[in-house]
Amino acid sequence: MGVSPGPLTDGERTDTLAAYTSACAFFGERLAEVTELDWMAETGCPDWDVRMLVAHVVTGEALVTRVLRDGGAWESQADPSILGLNPMAAWRGTVLAAIESASVDGVLDAMHPYAVGELPGAVIIGFRVTENLVHGWDLARACGTDIALPEALAERCLDFWMPLAGSDALSGHFGPTVMPPDGAPAGVRLLSLLGRTA
């Protein structure tokens, strides 16, 4: 799943944290472009408007801290009230805490509770990298902007997800896979794998 067996090397640990930070920044950049008129816009995610989509991502980052730092359970029911009166501030504080929690020595190698059972911290962060990239794209689309996913991060996510193609882990979280165009870049192939047409 994009993570080598056994403890991560220092390089793998650094790369994992860098990918998570970059993916969160990608989502944050999209969030910064949301206007007051966008919050009720429909997204490509069934039954989610923009506010619910952002709440889903912010909840995920809050759960990273809860699980990796506090040892709590992963309960991913999102509530838009988590955004408060300033969604950008809510996102910023939550994501900074999550990155700090993921950066603690030993956390990425240790096992933690997750929705599908105990997983290494690095695998949980792998999920979050994908969530931030793909939902950042969803957010941009909902607000009327076409944007390409960063190729290096998309390649990393493809490496993470391809072993799970066709499994419950993939189908339970994303739409049915669609066929990408011939010669499509990594970002388009990732979106296609996760049920989106770029």
Side-chain angles (χ1 to χ4, degrees):
M1 292 179 21
V3 178
S4 62
L8 299 180
T9 66
D10 288 344
E12 288 170 335
R13 197 170 292 110
T14 298
D15 288 348
T16 297
L17 292 171
Y20 183 37
T21 301
S22 295
C24 289
F26 177 82
F27 183 86
E29 288 163 4
R30 310 289 76 76
L31 178 57
E33 296 169 352
V34 174
T35 71
E36 287 301 319
L37 299 177
D38 293 326
W39 287 105
M40 300 298 290
E42 293 183 359
T43 71
C45 304
D47 302 322
W48 286 1
D49 61 11
V50 165
R51 184 171 294 276
M52 191 64 192
L53 173 68
V54 174
H56 169 76
V57 174
V58 172
T59 297
E61 265 38 91
L63 285 167
V64 168
T65 299
R66 176 179 178 175
V67 169
L68 299 190
R69 186 189 70 188
D70 303 332
W74 189 278
E75 298 172 357
S76 57
Q77 187 65 37
D79 180 348
S81 68
I82 194 173
L83 302 179
L85 297 176
N86 188 334
M88 190 69 190
W91 169 81
R92 185 179 292 110
T94 306
V95 79
L96 289 174
I99 292 169
E100 182 179 354
S101 298
S103 301
V104 173
D105 285 347
V107 160
L108 296 181
D109 294 318
M111 302 296 288
H112 305 275
Y114 193 69
V116 296
E118 295 267 319
L119 291 174
V123 173
I124 293 172
I125 294 304
F127 288 137
R128 298 308 309 162
V129 171
T130 302
E131 286 274 312
N132 276 279
L133 279 190
V134 174
H135 287 320
W137 184 87
D138 290 334
L139 181 58
R141 270 293 180 92
C143 297
T145 302
D146 285 326
I147 190 166
L149 296 183
E151 282 293 286
L153 283 176
E155 287 279 10
R156 182 184 181 89
C157 290
L158 282 169
D159 289 344
F160 181 88
W161 282 106
M162 285 305 291
L164 299 175
S167 72
D168 290 342
L170 191 59
S171 62
H173 296 281
F174 300 99
T177 296
V178 299
M179 187 64 66
D182 290 341
V188 173
R189 286 185 281 122
L190 176 64
L191 291 168
S192 297
L193 178 67
L194 303 181
R196 287 151 172 84
T197 303

